[in-house]
Amino acid sequence: MGGLFAIANRVDSIHRRPWIGFQSWRAAGRKVSLSVEAEKVLEETMHESVRGDVIYFWGRVDLDGSVIGSNNALTFWSMCDILNGGNCRNVFQDSFRQMYALPPNAEGLPPMPEDGGYWSALHSWVMPTPSFLEFVMFSRMFVDSIDAFHRDSGKYSMCLLGSSEIEEKHCYCRVLELLINVWAYHSARKMVYINPNTGSMEEQHLIEHRKGYMWAKYFNSSLLKSMDEDLGEAADDGDDPRENWLWPMTGEVHWQGIYEREREERYRTKMDKKRKTKEKLYERMKYGYKQKSLGL
């Protein structure tokens, strides 16, 4: 996830393209990386689909229960618990409440329906670049909320989302791998699964079937931008809410005040340059232009 933050931070200089995508090295290990044929289909589809918020993914969550030796199908959140030390739901909803300043008794776990559709996994997907930047904006705030909850829990020295040594070392990684599904579903993004071998596509979790389930007000882009600006202002003023505040470390810090300050600085520089030019002209008019002597 840190790689996504780093790319988003410099996207204007390193990726000036309408689409952006990623494929985890783990996709190859699980034999779900895109084939040449699937890549061609995806590329042609992106050229044709110049508009619309859509995410194409080919790494998917296995919900058939085989991962735990069960014949019963798993839900999105039960699988998230399995992948995160049994604490995914608790950590997610506590972090969600903290992110939006919700009361402790407020529901903090967005519904993820059991409609038989696939969910994205392995950070293997493609989406429009503007959508990617919005996803990163949401993710930065959510990661900061997880970190804040983790610190406030008094158990910061241990990972609540992992049981093995490697899981504890990369504590937030697995829950963030699934975060894109929550964001895409509740922000009304079209979700399309592409078969990594054949390139065949099938839309998942149809938007018209999400009515009554989506928490659209929490994933509204205007609200997220407003929250991002508030954090940017706090960081710019040095008003850190806690020691070792994570949010400013995950990307660029910007808010309207910074833009205005930079604009004023450019204006002052411009006026200072004009003033110096006028002073030079005045000096020449007053004393004349003296050519330095050549030679001895």
Side-chain angles (χ1 to χ4, degrees):
M1 198 70 190
L4 304 188
F5 291 163
I7 291 173
N9 193 24
R10 293 288 181 267
V11 72
D12 289 337
S13 57
I14 65 176
H15 186 83
R16 297 178 181 178
R17 298 180 182 275
W19 293 82
I20 189 168
F22 299 86
Q23 179 168 264
S24 169
W25 60 269
R26 290 186 293 139
R30 297 190 186 183
K31 298 182 179 180
V32 292
S33 57
L34 285 179
S35 65
V36 175
E37 182 180 354
E39 285 182 2
K40 184 178 180 181
V41 172
L42 179 58
E43 186 176 357
E44 291 174 352
T45 303
M46 288 189 297
H47 281 304
E48 295 171 0
S49 305
V50 293
R51 293 184 179 181
D53 279 327
V54 57
I55 171 174
Y56 298 98
F57 65 96
W58 51 96
R60 59 186 177 92
V61 179
D62 183 9
L63 296 179
D64 63 6
S66 61
V67 68
I68 57 173
S70 171
N71 293 324
N72 298 322
L74 300 170
T75 66
F76 176 87
W77 289 117
S78 62
M79 175 56 79
C80 190
D81 274 340
I82 292 171
L83 296 175
N84 291 279
N87 289 313
C88 173
R89 275 180 270 207
N90 291 334
V91 170
F92 195 102
Q93 61 186 352
D94 286 334
S95 302
F96 194 87
R97 291 191 193 103
Q98 176 141 344
M99 177 175 171
Y100 290 98
L102 301 176
N105 59 342
E107 179 59 48
L109 197 67
M112 302 297 280
E114 303 171 45
D115 57 6
Y118 296 144
W119 299 106
S120 172
L122 302 176
H123 286 309
S124 297
W125 42 258
V126 169
M127 70 173 76
T129 302
S131 297
F132 167 69
L133 294 177
E134 186 176 325
F135 169 60
V136 168
M137 179 172 62
F138 172 79
S139 300
R140 287 179 63 197
M141 290 186 283
F142 190 78
V143 169
D144 181 60
S145 295
I146 293 180
D147 189 67
F149 168 73
H150 200 180
R151 290 175 184 274
D152 294 343
S153 68
K155 300 178 181 179
Y156 193 68
S157 59
M158 61 180 290
C159 176
L160 300 174
L161 296 169
S163 53
S164 66
E165 183 178 348
I166 191 169
E167 287 176 354
E168 291 179 359
K169 185 177 180 181
H170 304 280
C171 189
Y172 307 155
C173 290
R174 299 305 293 273
V175 70
L176 295 179
E177 182 182 314
L178 300 178
L179 182 64
I180 192 169
N181 295 289
V182 182
W183 169 80
Y185 182 89
H186 289 279
S187 63
R189 259 70 183 187
K190 186 178 179 181
M191 304 176 72
V192 178
Y193 172 72
I194 175 171
N195 186 297
N197 298 315
T198 65
S200 62
M201 296 185 179
E202 183 180 2
E203 185 176 352
Q204 310 293 311
H205 319 293
L206 300 178
I207 294 177
E208 54 267 29
H209 295 167
R210 302 182 198 177
K211 293 180 179 179
Y213 294 99
M214 288 194 302
W215 286 13
K217 65 179 181 179
Y218 294 116
F219 295 84
N220 179 275
S221 60
S222 297
L223 173 63
L224 295 176
K225 288 178 182 177
S226 175
M227 294 167 62
D228 185 78
E229 280 224 345
D230 290 343
L231 292 172
E233 183 176 3
D236 187 42
D237 292 341
D239 187 17
D240 296 7
R242 69 191 71 89
E243 188 178 355
N244 296 321
W245 185 20
L246 182 62
W247 183 83
M249 305 178 192
T250 58
E252 198 169 13
V253 175
H254 264 302
W255 71 288
Q256 189 61 33
I258 293 179
Y259 292 127
E260 293 174 356
R261 188 166 63 242
E262 290 176 347
R263 185 174 59 187
E264 290 175 0
E265 182 62 31
R266 287 194 299 269
Y267 178 76
R268 282 196 297 267
T269 302
K270 180 180 178 181
M271 297 308 294
D272 188 53
K273 185 177 180 180
K274 283 186 175 182
R275 180 183 59 79
K276 290 180 179 179
T277 301
K278 286 184 178 180
E279 288 177 352
K280 285 183 180 180
L281 289 174
Y282 176 75
E283 289 292 322
R284 289 178 182 176
M285 291 174 63
K286 184 176 181 181
Y287 300 107
Y289 181 77
K290 296 181 179 179
Q291 172 70 46
K292 292 183 179 180
S293 59
L294 301 176
L296 297 175

